[in-house]
Amino acid sequence: MAHSAESIRLGAVSVPRPADVLAETLRRQILDGEFPVGSMLPAERQLVEDSGLTRSSVREALAQLQREGLIMVKTGRRGGSVVTRPTATEVLRSVRLNIEGWAPDAEMLLESRVAIEPWCAYFAAERRTEEDLADLRKINERTARALEGHGDFVECKVAWHSAVSRAGRNEVLFTLVEAVSRAAYRQFDRTTLQGEDADSRLRSLQVHEAVTDAIARQKPRLAFKLMGNHLNAPSIVDEFPDGPVTD
């Protein structure tokens, strides 16, 4: 049945920007290995000819890839766009900015921490070095001083969770913990966090010390359970089927 012009309702049609289309095409070719790391992308002039786009659109597409760490631009006679891979620092910065800019609600952030951080503690107990232990113990000492008013208690909390995830030697998990934890603390009013009662703050330090001890003694299941309890995740630590719940 034919529709009259009056019966058709169209909203605004979003048309991709030419620079975005070219950037996505080149991004996919890089990630698929058509342009291996260390190889050169076609010269800017060649990209203009091949794509039919303006020079400004091509430059904008290349700038996107450079910001993402997928290319670096070399100058000089042998210059051009060299294919690279983003460093862990660049990935962390990008994930942080995206999560904080997105600003998911506090419950979603907490659930993410519950899903990730017990496993970070588990892996830390398996893989920690003496240097990792020294870092954790120093942070606990700083936290104890912060309880007496000599230091930033919130920053100590963030630093300890970061150190545990770093000791797990998994950069993907470390990146997620860093981004999610920072976003979670940013959502809370700092005065409220600093104003936790003394007993709550002392219990928090005691749990940090207990998890640190489990990591030191290389007890991954215990570290997992203690971290889950710390994040108020009884469903994970008590009902995990055949999982790391006791030593």
Side-chain angles (χ1 to χ4, degrees), residues 88-180:
T89 301
E90 290 168 333
V91 172
L92 174 57
R93 185 184 304 116
S94 176
V95 172
R96 248 191 214 160
L97 287 173
N98 278 283
I99 289 181
E100 291 187 19
W102 170 28
D105 62 51
E107 183 178 359
M108 193 183 301
L109 290 169
L110 177 58
E111 288 177 352
S112 299
R113 294 185 65 193
V114 166
I116 298 169
E117 292 201 49
W119 283 109
C120 289
Y122 185 97
F123 294 134
E126 287 189 325
R127 303 167 183 172
R128 94 292 185 279
T129 64
E130 291 303 315
E131 184 178 353
D132 293 325
L133 286 178
D135 287 342
L136 288 167
R137 286 166 175 157
K138 285 177 183 176
I139 294 169
N140 288 339
E141 290 170 3
R142 291 208 321 264
T143 306
R145 291 195 295 272
L147 288 178
E148 300 171 354
H150 306 294
D152 189 320
F153 181 75
V154 175
E155 278 301 320
C156 288
K157 289 174 68 170
V158 174
W160 183 83
H161 284 273
S162 176
V164 170
S165 63
R166 187 183 299 108
R169 295 290 179 276
N170 184 309
E171 287 193 347
V172 174
L173 294 180
F174 171 71
T175 297
L176 292 173
V177 168
E178 282 283 281
V180 171

